[in-house]
């Protein structure tokens, strides 16, 4: 039956929450004990901490530290920064995450993808811009976390993520080929890197190439053995060349010793004779103030989910932890950081029990900065390049690509487009291209709903029954109208029954199209019935045209009863004519 005749304008009015209700809902329970334990996870696991946990956490923390120190130096090179900035970025996140992090396995620090993106935006502008980008990234991520906007990363689909990650790995590995074979060059972009290699092919250094390729082979063997103690290999070759007083390899060189100064991030700077104010520095950072936070959140949350073992992950808490880590890091000259999959895997495989393992990692990095920087001089650049390339081989997601092809082949399109665009245009533009293509595919699918139709004959009159299989959006409005009128004309149907079982909402465009279709059918002496439409959708259509739609809704009746009732209503009119 249609809506009751006693209904008035209040019955179909669209309801909105009052501002104070929204504020109360968002802030309710914010300052409770439960919320305090939720936002400071250390309060949950610390009371039950045991001595055995401490031993396991120290061992895991040492293992991660032995991994992050050479990685930090290598990632600083990718970002086109001095080696010490990689180490400056490697300890503060460990301390902060211990307090506010929710996943025991996640380690926060410099990563290859973030370093590459830093290079793309600020690599030639000096460390001040990298430090400021860490501060801005932290502020944006923290704000997203406070506003509970973690759902934004859900708009980046799995195929786009696979394409982006694979392209980043290929780009990073390509950028390290020059160091692997001992030639000069600055660019870390995919095309420029290979152009540089071919232009300087005559300058390839034999011993650097031998050492670099040997490092890759050696590390691949060690990775299969779950053993990552590659430091010994580097130092052996570096010290050997120093003892002979010859340098067959290009070495890392001096790393500035000492702890970083604790100071405010640089809100203004001078490079050469050019002075930059805060607004000018932000303008120079460009789109990185958006892309860096999104990539940082995507990496960190994905890693937390990977190691959660089925437990629910609070994305908002991970964003808060990541935001605070970047903000605090900017006070000690850190570049932007996020979760590292490689080091998180080392942490997990080492048997870490709680987030306290990060404290050990941070302390070891600080000790290395204070006492061991001179020894980093002997690390060959070819070895660092080999380590990065070996790691990148495992970041190219061949298995995920095969899974996408096996599961839904149309998803292979955004994956490949993302990867190609990232390689040719740059990571941030490639991500935008991938998201755009993915959205276009989704919009096309939404705009072409599957409509199941069948024609019935009741009392000698043809009836077309149509049922869309999904909600109706503005992009599907004209398609729905066209298909219904086409089928009605094809079968010469006098009545159309539009089943709204799967329709939970319609927008203004759909309402306008349905009103137009209803008018057109009335003018051709045909009738449409809106069957099983919920009250919310009915009210939307009534707000569009109350008179037109008022008697068109039916619910919980068989089609035979509805059509016979309508025929009976039309019979006196026809007889009079």
């Amino acid at each position: 039956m249609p809506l009751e005749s006693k209904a008035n304008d209040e019955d179909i009015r669209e309801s909105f929450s009052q501002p104070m209700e929204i504020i109360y809902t968002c802030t309710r329970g914010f300052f409770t004990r439960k919320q305090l334990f939720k936002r400071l996870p250390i309060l949950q696991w610390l009371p039950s901490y045991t001595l055995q946990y401490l031993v396991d956490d120290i061992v895991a923390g040492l293992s991660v530290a032995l991994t992050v120190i050479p990685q930090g130096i290598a990632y600083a090179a990718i970002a086109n920064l001095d080696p010490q900035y990689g180490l400056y970025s490697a300890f503060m996140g460990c301390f902060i995450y211990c307090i506010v992090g929710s996943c025991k396995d996640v380690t926060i620090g410099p990563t290859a993808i973030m370093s590459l993106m830093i290079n793309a935006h600020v690599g030639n502008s000096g460390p001040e811009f990298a430090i400021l980008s860490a501060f801005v990234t932290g502020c944006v991520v923290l704000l997203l976390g406070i506003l509970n906007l973690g759902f934004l990363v859900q708009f980046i689909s799995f195929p786009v993520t696979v394409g982006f990650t694979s392209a980043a790995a290929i780009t990073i590995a390509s950028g390290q080929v020059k160091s692997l074979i001992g030639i000069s060059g600055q660019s870390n972009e995919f095309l420029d890197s290979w152009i540089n290699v071919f232009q300087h092919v005559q300058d390839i250094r034999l011993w650097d190439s031998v050492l670099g390729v040997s490092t890759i082979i050696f590390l691949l063997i060690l990775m299969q053995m779950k053993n990552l103690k590659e430091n010994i290999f580097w130092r052996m070759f570096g010290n050997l060349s120093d003892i002979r007083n010859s340098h067959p390899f290009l070495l890392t060189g001096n790393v500035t010793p000492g702890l970083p100064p604790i100071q405010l991030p640089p809100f203004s700077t001078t490079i050469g004779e050019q002075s930059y104010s805060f607004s000018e520095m932000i303008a120079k950072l460009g789109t990185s103030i958006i892309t860096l936070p999104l990539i940082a959140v995507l990496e960190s949350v994905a890693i937390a989910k990977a190691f959660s073992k089925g437990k629910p992950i609070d994305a908002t808490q991970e964003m808060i932890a990541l935001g605070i880590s970047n903000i605090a890091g900017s006070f000690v000259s850190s570049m932007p950081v996020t979760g590292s999959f490689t080091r998180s895997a080392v942490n997990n495989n080492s048997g870490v029990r709680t987030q306290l393992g990060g404290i050990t990692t941070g302390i070891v990095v600080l000790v290395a900065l204070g006492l061991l920087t001179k020894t980093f001089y002997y690390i060959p650049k070819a070895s660092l390049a080999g380590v990065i390339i070996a790691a990148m081989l495992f970041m190219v997601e061949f298995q995920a690509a095969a899974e996408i092809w096996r599961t839904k082949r149309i998803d292979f399109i955004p994956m490949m487009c993302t990867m190609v665009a990232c390689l040719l245009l740059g990571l941030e533009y490639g991500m935008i291209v991938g998201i755009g293509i993915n959205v276009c595919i989704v919009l096309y699918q939404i705009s072409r709903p599957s409509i199941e139709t069948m024609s019935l004959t009741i009392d000698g009159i043809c009836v077309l029954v149509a049922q869309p299989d999904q909600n109706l959006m503005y992009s599907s409005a004209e398609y729905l109208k066209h298909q219904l009128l086409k089928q009605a004309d094809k079968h010469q149907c006098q009545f159309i029954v539009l089943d709204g079982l799967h329709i939970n909402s319609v927008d203004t465009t759909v309402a306008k199209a349905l009103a137009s279709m209803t008018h057109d059918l009335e003018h051709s002496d045909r009738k449409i019935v809106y069957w099983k439409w919920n009250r919310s959708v009915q009210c939307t259509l009534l707000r569009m045209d109350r008179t037109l739609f008022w008697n068109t809704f039916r619910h919980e009746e068989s089609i035979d009863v509805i059509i016979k009732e309508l025929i009976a209503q039309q019979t006196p009119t026809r007889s009079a004519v």
Side-chain angles (χ1 to χ4, degrees), residues 545-559:
D545 193 328
R546 184 186 182 95
T547 303
L548 178 67
F549 286 108
W550 184 254
N551 292 314
T552 61
F553 299 113
R554 297 293 187 274
H555 191 68
E556 296 181 352
E557 299 173 359
S558 70
I559 295 178

Side-chain angles (χ1 to χ4, degrees), residues 71 75 112-113 161-162 164-173 215-228 230 341-343 345 349 385-401:
Q71 281 189 344
Y75 295 157
I113 294 178
T161 302
V162 170
F164 173 83
T165 304
S166 300
I170 295 171
T171 302
I172 292 167
T215 300
I216 295 175
I217 296 173
F218 185 66
L219 288 178
L220 292 178
I221 295 173
L222 288 181
M223 287 179 182
Q224 295 300 320
M225 297 170 60
K226 304 298 183 181
N227 186 357
L228 299 176
E230 65 274 5
F341 188 87
T342 302
R343 296 192 296 276
N349 292 334
V387 170
I388 296 172
I389 292 174
M392 294 306 103
L393 292 176
F394 291 91
M395 282 184 61
V396 179
E397 305 204 39
F398 298 107
Q399 183 176 355

